[in-house]
Amino acid sequence: MGNSAALVTGADKGIGKEIARQLADAGLTVYLGSRDASRGKAAAGEIGGDTRTLVIDVTDAATIAEAASQVAALDILVNNAGISAEGRPAGEAGVDEFRRVYETNVFGVVAVTNAFLPALRGSPAPRIVNISSGTGSLSWSAGSAYRSYAGNMAAYRSSKTALNAITLFYAKALGDPFKVNALAPGLRKTDLNAIAAASGGDPAEAAAGAVRLATLPGNGPTGEFISWDGTPVPW
Ligand code: NAP
């Protein structure tokens, strides 16, 4: 693998921590993004290898700018930080819930990606992985795949739909040698929300899917929405 430095946002726990762990285990320098310095340091210490804590709150421009000033060269950016908020259905979720979720899941990704683009542009094989969700697939939501969700989690799911669109546009705009893809990690046992905590699978399995996209070869896909197991997800 030619890549040598990676940043994972929201990596002090959950899927992000497993992505950081797997990248560190593969011998990369990993910038472990956390909005809390002590929790970030604890996670970095547990992971070991060349893992360095970077304080980033993806909704806070000052922390993003400060973090970007510390990283001159970057090969991989994993935009993993995300929140689900209250998960109310359309009609009950107010504009406050939409704003809060979009600040992190959508605007946070734009802000972090733009801030680290200068560092990524120096890489021979820059890779951006946006951690999306299958629940953001309009095709699956319009069909029978997510019948049980109905119109629930409207802010969260539409934020991931927006993230998918943004993924496609960055892929088109950045072009070769960038690879920019969105990952559907599957339902994972994390603190994201009650459904994930109660019935999710192993976060490490989702992380392996993210690492695959983070280390794609030059002939790999870009501008695609891909499941943790490597299969395509319909937009
Ligand atoms: P998690 O355990 O709750 O982890 C979320 C991470 O994001 C935490 O490190 C959290 O930091 C961080 N974060 C939240 N807001 C942030 C902000 N403003 N700035 C920086 N970091 C922030 O949940 P997870 O399941 O691992 O979620 C990771 C990603 O996977 C999310 O994008 C989520 O939407 C996606 N996803 C998860 C599932 C699932 O079933 N778990 C399914 C589909 C998609 P704190 O520790 O400071 O809160």
Side-chain angles (χ1 to χ4, degrees):
M1 179 164 47
N3 287 319
S4 59
L7 164 61
V8 186
T9 64
D12 53 78
K13 64 179 182 177
I15 295 169
K17 184 175 167 188
E18 292 308 315
I19 297 170
R21 189 197 309 278
Q22 291 179 22
L23 291 170
D25 286 351
L28 277 79
T29 294
V30 176
Y31 295 100
L32 186 150
S34 172
R35 55 182 165 177
D36 180 89
S38 58
R39 273 187 280 123
K41 280 203 183 80
E46 187 196 306
I47 290 171
D50 188 9
T51 307
R52 310 168 186 192
T53 308
L54 210 51
V55 174
I56 304 182
D57 180 332
V58 305
T59 66
D60 180 346
T63 68
I64 296 170
E66 172 59 25
S69 76
Q70 295 174 46
V71 179
L74 193 66
D75 303 286
I76 293 166
L77 169 61
V78 183
N79 287 306
N80 167 78
I83 58 169
S84 71
E86 292 84 357
R88 288 181 287 212
E92 289 179 28
V95 74
D96 57 323
E97 183 172 337
F98 276 83
R99 275 210 183 97
R100 212 160 0 103
V101 172
Y102 279 47
E103 279 296 341
T104 299
N105 296 6
V106 183
F107 309 142
V109 173
V110 173
V112 170
T113 304
N114 288 355
F116 285 89
L117 266 186
L120 286 163
R121 285 188 196 280
S123 170
R127 305 286 180 258
I128 299 172
V129 184
N130 293 332
I131 307 302
S132 181
S133 168
T135 67
S137 165
L138 290 179
S139 303
W140 280 356
S141 290
S144 58
Y146 282 121
R147 193 177 289 136
S148 64
Y149 283 80
N152 292 337
M153 296 167 63
Y156 175 76
R157 290 165 67 194
S158 62
S159 78
K160 295 299 190 181
T161 309
L163 177 61
N164 288 346
I166 285 166
T167 302
L168 180 61
F169 302 150
Y170 271 92
K172 299 275 185 203
L174 294 172
D176 196 50
F178 277 83
K179 305 282 181 206
V180 188
N181 292 292
L183 179 85
L187 189 60
R188 302 295 164 187
K189 197 173 190 58
T190 70
D191 294 339
L192 183 72
N193 57 37
I195 303 170
S199 37
D202 186 357
E205 198 173 43
V211 170
R212 193 180 307 121
L213 295 181
T215 56
L216 281 173
N219 62 356
T222 189
E224 294 194 6
F225 186 21
I226 298 173
S227 183
W228 60 274
D229 62 1
T231 56
V233 180
W235 298 112

